[in-house]
Amino acid sequence: MKFSYNWIRELVDGLDCAPGALEKLITMKTAECEGIEVSGALLDRACAALVESVEPIPGGHNVKTVVDAGRYGRKTVVCGAPNCRAGIITAYVPIGKKTIQGVESDGMLASAAELDISRDHTGILELDLQIGAPLPGCFPDSVIEIDNKSITHRPDLWGHLGMAREVAALQGRSLKDPVHVGMLPEGPAPIKIEVENLSLCPRYSALVFENVTVKPSPLWLQTRLTAIGLNPINNVVDMTNYIMAELAQPMHAFDANLLRGGTIYVRPARPGERLRALNEEEYTLDPSNLVIADAGGAIALGGVIGGLDSAISGKTTRVVLESANFLASSVRRTSAVLKLRTDASMRFEKAQDPHNTVRGLARAIELLSELSPGIRLVGGVADRKRELPAAPVIPLPLDFVARKLGREVGRIEVRSILERMGFGVAEADAGIFAVTVPSWRATKDVTIKDDLVEEVGRMVGYDSITPQAPLVPSAAPPRNPERRFQHEVRDLFADLGFTEVYNYSFLSEDAVRAFGSDPAEHIRVTNPIASDQALLRTSLLPGVWKNINENLKHREAFRIFEIGLEIHKRGNSLPEEIPHLLAAIYERQGDGAAGLFEIKRAAECLMPGAQLCPAEARAFEHPARAADVLWKGEKAGRLFELHPSLVETGRAAILDVNLQLAQRLAVGEKKYTPIRRYPSSAFDLSVVAGLRDQAGSLESAIRSFAGPLLESIHFLRQYSGPPLPEGSKSVSFRLTVGSPERTLSSDEVAQVRNQIIEGMRGRGYELRV
Amino acid sequence: MLEQSIQELESSSLARIASARSLEELEVVRVSVLGRKEGALTHMMKELGKLPPEERKSTGKLVNAAKQKLEEALAAREKQFADDTLRARLDTEWIDLTLPAPGPRRGHLHPITQIQQELEDLFVSLGFAVLDGPEAETEYHNFDALNIPATHPARDAQDTFWLEGSNLLLRTHTSPVQVRGMEKLGPPLRIVAPGRVFRNESVDASHEHTFYQIEGMMVDRDVSVAHLLYFMKVMLAGVFQREVSVRLRPGYFPFVEPGFELDIQCLLCGGSGCPVCKQSGWVEQLGCGLVHPNVLRMSGIDPEEWSGFAFGLGLTRLVMMRYGIDDIRHLQGGDLRFLEQF
């Protein structure tokens, strides 16, 4: 929302605060300012000038003119406007000399756009003014832009009068209300208003004017609208926009001659009812949209936009002027569903003051008599309304203010602050004020005593509050072991050389399919940022895969990991979010084995004692290099090499761990067992096995035959080649046997050894002794 | 006569020990002087018995002294040889320690992780629990329970990603964890909730649809703006590792009343005005306020009995400020050339 400094100054008696200071004041006390811009900087120098002669300049469309610019004298100016001709009065601005196409041009002849009067840049201004006269009512202005988010709760600040009221209160000045309700005509209304549901439209007020002349607005009005970003159209429409910007009361003017019948209906749209709107779009409506209608159908979308078919035009001579109040939530819904945000809908959705409708009409009478001389009112005000709500009264205990703010504010000060802001204050009981909320703050904004604390707080200034430590018991907070575990995993992987990446939670259907999932099993974003970011990730792999292929352009080898949530669809209930670790080692050189074993070591650091259990590879895994990671009997993760066809060049080893499960498994009681007192015995065994027999299976077979005396078994080495037969290998283990109660005799050791040899033979394995 | 020979033997032997050039040469000296069979001094000791008793004692002393001296000299020389040998061997074991260590260098934690962990540690030390909430949230927790009903225009300020299915969305802020925290812990409570949030915005150098926040909340008896200010100052001093000046301005968030924007005095110019603070001397840092009674009530907490403050801080923005990162897209770009700088 843009605010004109000139406009605020007109409404605040004796305001002497410069624009910059005002901006700062508003920021600290009321709402966030996004900046100040000067609009119409040239206006204080512009004056009316007569074009005396025009002479073409060869080789272009520019002309050389001589103008009589009053106090600036006679000037030669080069001008390129198509409407530049001898005899017109236009605007001259002395901006210095400049040579254009060999002609020295002193100053410029200006278009309305160049002066910030309107957006019209089709030609230079054509004025009806005395030579040398300034442009009446047109001055440079400072435009303060307020962040709309910061006034969402303040319907009154969507108009200059509301901001002026705030400024007047801040500065201890008085407010000049531009509305004279005494101007409202008495007598029967010339039109009938029928409101079907007064909760959707609590008030609909209207006036009828005749003998209207539609023409461009005077320059001062155009300048003011342009300064705050509104586009001047014609005097009647500009008047409605002016009042909206001043009083926060959106209005709409219908061409009365184009209305069918003498009644205006406010009703839900009929299913499929259509409306051609002022923006030249056609909307198909349903009963959730509130329309303004005549006997022939919808003529406007209530609180949102007017209809094109009843719009003000050059032919308009009679006008029905609507000044209504609509239910905020209904306007908001319609505006959201139709994706149609207008200046009117933005204001109505903040819940406007129903008292304001007739004030708008009174202001319109005054403005139109200036903008369209000869205009006449027809009859009195048509005003259909629900009973206006009584002003709410909020009990405010003074100690509540002090307890909330953390500082005392005196009785007199609280009272004076609230009264300055337009609240009524009475002392109900000792130490308790009864605060009456003014109508412009009563729709939604101020409803509870906490809202009044804010009013007092911002006026005394939050900088007057001294930070203070609370007196609360010191206690260790509840732990968050899941998060703690994730941080430990992060630290571990960073120590092991992995760098952490963050990827988006969104995936494309293609990426999902490439990793063997069904898009239908993913949660879909209904309004994705792009069609290829419509699914929520059920795996971190696609993201890391992308990281691998991008980083391999710059790196020979690297290690990366991500910890993030997989989001799984779970019927109609809340999705299941499972934290996962996805780690990858990429190496451009080599056969990939080193990376796989390094990542296996990382897995074992994370999950001591975890085992790899080779498993059938999925399509995106290397068909001969994929395994489940078993930890404490549960499948906690997966380790594999990415299918080489998915990596541009080189190899990528991947570890995917379910951290929710791993965290649960990591929690284990540690128990001390006494250090063995009797010496153990060690011996080596070599098993002759097939080339693809797994060391892990051999080890567990040996373990199963060894019996309870086995202390440990370690893989030593494997060997293939002569003298072993083709297609076989020898796998050697070192076994340690012993007993906590005694030293084993050599016979006992030999017995264990023989047990194993026999057992393994039973499984078809020879042992090299 | 014998005394003189002892002294001569001693001095000549010491000279030979000193000039021996190897362990072998030294052994020759030892054998020739102290050897059991041919040693000159050994021989003299054997001769002692032939001396008259009165001479025997004094000469014996001399011989023993000479023996001890020579043994010590031999041992010292021997050690010298051993030391030289060891030194020579160790010298061959020279290693170029400027060569890089094998194995990978330490990896890097994401800058957001780092700042998030710092803040978590800080708040835990202040007695706050760290809570998590789901990224795919219910409309109720993200909006309604925070005093933002469907008809509220404040919803427009948070462009929401909606999920198919009933009333699910990607959380637009970490504030729903306030609600979950109140539901879970009840009053009094002190919680923080860092995490990933989503807004349906097009991505450019300064806008992201995915970013990080940390939410904080304290509910207790008579929690005031003064308490809020205290914790904000403690937090920001922890973040920036120095005392910071803060100011509160009115700010509107439907789940707090009163609501504030908290600015910190520009750390670059100290408040005198510079491009970073757009010449204002202040930089917007976070949104905060006293918890709205409706929010407490919705979570089953009686606002007449309890009150609280809440704040929300953009971690992504904080990281960008701290490291001077000019393009937000780097943070989720996965480029090691970026990530390895932290």
Side-chain angles (χ1 to χ4, degrees):
Chain A
M1 170 85 188
K2 289 179 170 177
F3 288 89
S4 149
Y5 173 76
N6 291 350
W7 203 335
I8 291 174
R9 208 169 49 168
E10 269 175 28
L11 297 169
V12 179
D13 197 24
L15 181 68
D16 55 2
C17 186
L22 186 65
E23 186 216 20
K24 205 168 267 178
L25 186 70
I26 292 173
T27 293
M28 289 311 293
K29 301 287 191 182
T30 305
E32 183 161 333
C33 298
E34 294 190 313
I36 302 189
E37 270 179 18
V38 172
S39 182
L42 299 176
L43 284 170
D44 56 347
R45 281 180 284 164
C47 77
L50 172 68
V51 181
E52 291 184 331
S53 67
V54 173
E55 192 184 311
I57 303 172
H61 62 276
N62 287 338
V63 294
K64 175 181 166 187
T65 67
V66 176
V67 300
D68 177 356
R71 66 190 153 115
Y72 295 118
R74 188 159 275 111
K75 298 287 183 186
T76 300
V77 183
V78 174
C79 178
N83 65 334
C84 182
R85 57 194 193 278
I88 62 166
I89 303 269
T90 188
Y92 171 81
V93 191
I95 53 161
K97 291 179 184 172
K98 189 168 144 193
T99 303
I100 301 165
Q101 287 180 291
V103 180
E104 190 184 70
S105 177
D106 185 1
M108 73 185 273
L109 304 183
S111 69
E114 283 163 324
L115 295 175
D116 291 338
I117 290 172
S118 74
R119 292 180 199 169
D120 184 1
H121 54 81
T122 56
I124 52 175
L125 278 166
E126 294 191 34
L127 303 168
D128 185 12
L129 292 171
Q130 293 291 325
I131 294 168
L135 308 190
C138 301
F139 306 103
D141 202 352
S142 295
V143 179
I144 301 175
E145 182 155 12
I146 305 280
D147 180 6
N148 285 352
K149 284 203 293 287
S150 73
I151 50 173
T152 308
H153 58 314
R154 290 289 302 267
D156 60 320
L157 294 187
W158 288 78
H160 279 71
L161 183 64
M163 188 56 84
R165 188 185 290 116
E166 192 83 11
V167 171
L170 290 171
Q171 291 284 78
R173 305 270 172 189
S174 54
L175 181 71
K176 294 196 284 187
D177 189 348
V179 176
H180 305 103
V181 281
M183 300 193 81
L184 290 170
E186 303 283 331
I191 48 162
K192 242 183 105 188
I193 312 283
E194 279 193 15
V195 178
E196 197 176 305
N197 182 346
L198 280 167
S199 61
L200 295 176
C201 174
R203 189 170 195 181
Y204 194 102
S205 316
L207 275 178
V208 180
F209 295 89
E210 61 181 12
N211 203 29
V212 178
T213 315
V214 176
K215 58 178 182 178
S217 295
L219 296 181
W220 70 264
L221 177 52
Q222 295 193 35
T223 304
R224 190 147 279 180
L225 293 180
T226 300
I228 59 167
L230 294 172
N231 198 13
I233 294 165
N234 59 50
N235 55 349
V236 176
V237 173
D238 292 352
M239 173 277 298
T240 61
N241 283 333
Y242 186 88
I243 294 176
M244 173 181 72
E246 186 171 62
L247 305 180
Q249 172 64 54
M251 296 180 117
H252 183 68
F254 299 100
D255 184 328
N257 292 334
L258 299 175
L259 297 184
R260 298 148 291 188
T263 305
I264 285 180
Y265 302 92
V266 183
R267 58 165 171 82
R270 316 225 185 277
E273 189 168 9
R274 287 164 176 268
L275 176 73
R276 279 211 300 157
L278 280 172
N279 61 2
E280 299 186 12
E281 297 280 328
E282 179 157 333
Y283 295 94
T284 305
L285 309 174
D286 67 47
S288 73
N289 311 126
L290 189 72
V291 296
I292 314 303
D294 63 8
I299 53 171
L301 253 175
V304 182
I305 197 167
L308 194 61
D309 298 340
S310 55
I312 302 300
S313 71
K315 294 183 205 141
T316 304
T317 58
R318 292 173 68 236
V319 165
V320 171
L321 185 61
E322 163 198 301
S323 183
N325 187 267
F326 298 101
L327 179 69
S329 56
S330 151
V331 170
R332 206 186 110 74
R333 197 181 308 119
T334 293
S335 149
V337 168
L338 301 179
K339 297 192 168 57
L340 181 60
R341 299 201 76 206
T342 61
D343 290 310
S345 75
M346 275 194 323
R347 286 173 172 79
F348 280 125
E349 68 174 26
K350 313 293 187 294
Q352 288 299 332
D353 176 8
H355 291 83
N356 219 9
T357 62
V358 290
R359 284 170 47 80
L361 292 179
R363 182 74 171 125
I365 295 168
E366 196 172 349
L367 281 171
L368 281 177
S369 63
E370 180 192 339
L371 303 180
S372 175
I375 196 166
R376 283 194 303 270
L377 272 166
V378 182
V381 180
D383 191 13
R384 181 84 182 93
K385 61 173 185 285
R386 187 169 65 175
E387 195 185 338
L388 295 173
V393 177
I394 302 172
L396 177 67
L398 278 169
D399 70 326
F400 183 75
V401 176
R403 279 190 354 248
K404 284 280 173 180
L405 291 180
R407 63 154 276 188
E408 297 289 332
V409 188
R411 247 178 80 245
I412 295 167
E413 196 177 2
V414 170
R415 177 177 211 129
S416 116
I417 284 170
L418 291 173
E419 284 175 346
R420 260 181 9 232
M421 308 292 298
F423 293 86
V425 181
E427 192 149 5
D429 289 303
I432 300 178
F433 283 146
V435 180
T436 309
V437 184
S439 68
W440 59 86
R441 304 288 307 270
T443 48
K444 213 168 167 182
D445 172 13
V446 178
T447 54
I448 54 175
K449 56 185 188 254
D450 303 70
D451 297 323
L452 297 172
V453 170
E454 171 160 45
E455 297 301 302
V456 175
R458 65 195 178 94
M459 287 297 143
V460 297
Y462 296 123
D463 52 355
S464 69
I465 298 172
T466 313
Q468 195 190 339
L471 287 169
V472 289
S474 169
R479 291 164 54 85
N480 184 337
E482 295 83 8
R483 182 173 276 269
R484 193 69 255 148
F485 181 70
Q486 287 173 30
H487 288 336
E488 282 164 11
V489 176
R490 282 192 172 88
D491 288 341
L492 171 65
F493 274 75
D495 287 342
L496 291 172
F498 291 77
T499 291
E500 188 179 23
V501 297
Y502 281 19
N503 284 300
Y504 293 131
S505 304
F506 305 111
L507 293 180
S508 69
E509 295 202 5
D510 287 348
V512 163
R513 282 199 200 92
F515 289 94
S517 293
D518 180 0
E521 284 166 11
H522 288 67
I523 295 170
R524 194 171 284 274
V525 179
T526 53
N527 56 336
I529 210 104
S531 58
D532 64 351
Q533 297 181 47
L535 303 179
L536 295 190
R537 61 180 178 184
T538 57
S539 164
L540 306 192
L541 183 57
V544 171
W545 166 67
K546 195 165 147 267
N547 300 145
I548 291 171
N549 277 306
E550 278 167 8
N551 281 299
L552 64 78
K553 294 176 186 132
H554 316 290
R555 295 285 147 99
E556 292 267 324
F558 53 84
R559 295 158 184 81
I560 56 177
F561 77 99
E562 179 174 11
I563 289 179
L565 293 175
E566 291 187 355
I567 305 183
H568 293 274
K569 202 170 180 170
R570 291 288 180 261
N572 269 338
S573 55
L574 208 59
E576 188 180 4
E577 301 187 357
I578 308 168
H580 268 247
L581 162 77
L582 203 299
I585 297 178
Y586 171 81
E587 279 172 324
R588 191 177 300 169
Q589 306 296 336
D591 63 2
L596 283 166
F597 282 103
E598 186 183 332
I599 214 159
K600 179 180 176 182
R601 191 179 106 75
E604 286 170 344
C605 289
L606 171 60
M607 299 172 284
Q611 289 180 325
L612 292 195
C613 177
E616 197 179 331
R618 297 168 292 182
F620 54 91
E621 295 173 331
H622 188 304
R625 297 179 169 185
D628 288 325
V629 182
L630 295 187
W631 193 30
K632 302 183 182 175
E634 297 205 50
K635 202 151 84 176
R638 182 94 171 171
L639 188 154
F640 57 94
E641 182 179 316
L642 205 54
H643 196 291
S645 67
L646 287 171
V647 190
E648 209 168 276
T649 171
R651 308 282 192 149
I654 306 286
L655 172 68
D656 184 351
V657 179
N658 176 337
L659 292 182
Q660 190 178 58
L661 181 56
Q663 188 267 331
R664 187 161 57 69
L665 296 175
V667 182
E669 294 269 311
K670 283 179 182 151
K671 206 167 160 270
Y672 162 77
T673 44
I675 296 165
R676 291 185 177 224
R677 291 166 56 201
Y678 301 96
S680 314
S681 311
F683 58 90
D684 295 353
L685 279 178
S686 298
V687 185
V688 179
L691 277 180
R692 292 202 172 191
D693 280 326
Q694 295 155 9
S697 318
L698 297 175
E699 187 186 305
S700 39
I702 292 172
R703 200 181 277 280
S704 70
F705 296 125
L709 294 178
L710 182 72
E711 262 178 43
S712 67
I713 172 167
H714 294 298
F715 168 84
L716 283 180
R717 71 189 84 84
Q718 60 178 5
Y719 170 79
S720 64
L724 293 170
E726 187 101 339
S728 64
K729 65 180 174 186
S730 153
V731 187
S732 306
F733 298 92
R734 172 153 303 160
L735 291 87
T736 309
V737 291
S739 160
E741 282 119 29
R742 61 185 196 284
T743 307
L744 297 185
S745 69
S746 55
D747 282 354
E748 283 173 306
V749 175
Q751 200 193 331
V752 173
R753 198 162 169 274
N754 291 336
Q755 250 166 251
I756 296 169
I757 292 172
E758 266 169 43
M760 291 305 280
R761 279 196 181 131
R763 293 227 179 146
Y765 293 106
E766 268 315 310
L767 280 95
R768 299 170 75 222
V769 186
Chain B
M1 187 56 206
L2 190 57
E3 282 174 24
Q4 199 184 335
S5 335
I6 291 168
Q7 270 165 12
E8 276 168 14
L9 181 62
E10 185 187 306
S11 53
S12 68
S13 299
L14 284 174
R16 286 172 65 199
I17 288 168
S19 62
R21 277 167 309 175
S22 68
L23 269 177
E24 290 73 29
E25 282 186 30
L26 198 64
E27 182 61 14
V28 171
V29 178
R30 197 186 63 78
V31 169
S32 70
V33 184
L34 297 172
R36 236 183 296 167
K37 286 182 181 164
E38 299 139 40
L41 196 64
T42 315
H43 181 72
M44 286 180 187
M45 289 176 91
K46 285 180 183 159
E47 294 295 304
L48 281 179
K50 298 176 184 165
L51 293 178
E54 60 277 13
E55 277 180 49
R56 197 186 297 162
K57 197 175 176 190
S58 60
T59 312
K61 249 184 196 166
L62 277 178
V63 174
N64 276 327
K67 187 186 176 203
Q68 196 184 340
K69 206 164 184 187
L70 289 175
E71 276 173 344
E72 278 168 9
L74 278 167
R77 188 74 176 129
E78 228 167 79
K79 183 169 185 304
Q80 208 175 348
F81 281 125
D83 287 352
D84 288 349
T85 311
L86 181 64
R87 196 173 303 119
R89 180 166 67 78
L90 295 187
D91 186 61
T92 64
E93 294 175 4
W94 178 83
I95 280 178
D96 181 357
L97 287 173
T98 66
L99 287 174
R105 308 279 81 79
R106 190 176 196 277
H108 302 259
L109 290 179
H110 196 282
I112 291 179
T113 294
Q114 295 184 33
I115 213 155
Q116 186 184 307
Q117 292 187 355
E118 267 177 44
L119 282 168
E120 282 177 30
D121 291 348
L122 175 72
F123 277 104
V124 167
S125 75
L126 294 170
F128 285 66
V130 183
L131 293 192
D132 289 301
E135 291 176 359
E137 254 297 0
T138 63
E139 185 179 1
Y140 171 79
H141 284 94
N142 195 75
F143 286 129
D144 300 77
L146 290 165
N147 205 27
I148 317 173
T151 54
H152 202 296
R155 283 205 181 185
D156 294 340
Q158 305 191 357
D159 300 309
T160 308
F161 283 115
W162 293 93
L163 303 179
E164 63 177 3
S166 47
N167 306 323
L168 288 180
L169 46 79
L170 289 174
R171 63 175 175 192
T172 58
H173 45 188
T174 40
S175 311
V177 190
Q178 286 183 19
V179 181
R180 293 187 176 276
M182 288 187 286
E183 289 170 352
K184 185 177 165 190
L185 302 172
L189 60 85
R190 272 174 274 173
I191 56 168
V192 287
R196 176 180 273 210
V197 301
F198 308 84
R199 301 268 172 100
N200 194 338
E201 273 192 48
S202 326
V203 175
D204 62 29
S206 48
H207 296 89
E208 249 294 3
H209 54 63
T210 301
F211 53 98
Y212 287 79
Q213 289 185 338
I214 187 166
E215 189 79 11
M217 180 186 227
M218 171 174 182
V219 175
D220 215 305
R221 292 179 203 278
D222 287 332
V223 174
S224 72
V225 178
H227 299 142
L228 167 66
L229 267 172
Y230 169 81
F231 277 107
M232 295 301 95
K233 284 195 72 139
V234 169
M235 168 177 76
L236 293 166
V239 169
F240 295 107
Q241 292 296 304
R242 60 206 257 198
E243 193 70 14
V244 286
S245 300
V246 306
R247 70 173 191 191
L248 294 180
R249 302 184 270 115
Y252 177 64
F253 309 97
F255 38 99
V256 287
E257 184 65 57
F260 314 108
E261 295 281 358
L262 184 143
D263 299 336
I264 62 166
Q265 195 160 58
C266 182
L267 295 170
L268 246 77
C269 64
S272 56
C274 69
V276 166
C277 60
K278 294 180 196 134
Q279 305 304 330
S280 72
W282 296 90
V283 179
E284 190 173 318
Q285 198 63 53
L286 58 94
C288 54
L290 298 186
V291 183
H292 197 288
N294 289 355
V295 173
L296 292 171
R297 210 173 283 124
M298 287 254 230
S299 295
I301 296 175
D302 180 1
E304 293 298 322
E305 195 180 339
W306 302 95
S307 55
F309 67 71
F311 65 90
L313 172 71
L315 289 176
T316 303
R317 212 170 137 262
L318 203 57
V319 164
M320 292 179 73
M321 271 178 68
R322 175 182 280 190
Y323 299 110
I325 299 166
D326 57 0
D327 191 334
I328 196 170
R329 290 169 292 198
H330 284 314
L331 292 166
Q332 269 144 146
D335 189 333
L336 287 167
R337 293 170 299 175
F338 171 79
L339 295 166
E340 286 173 355
Q341 297 181 33
F342 303 98

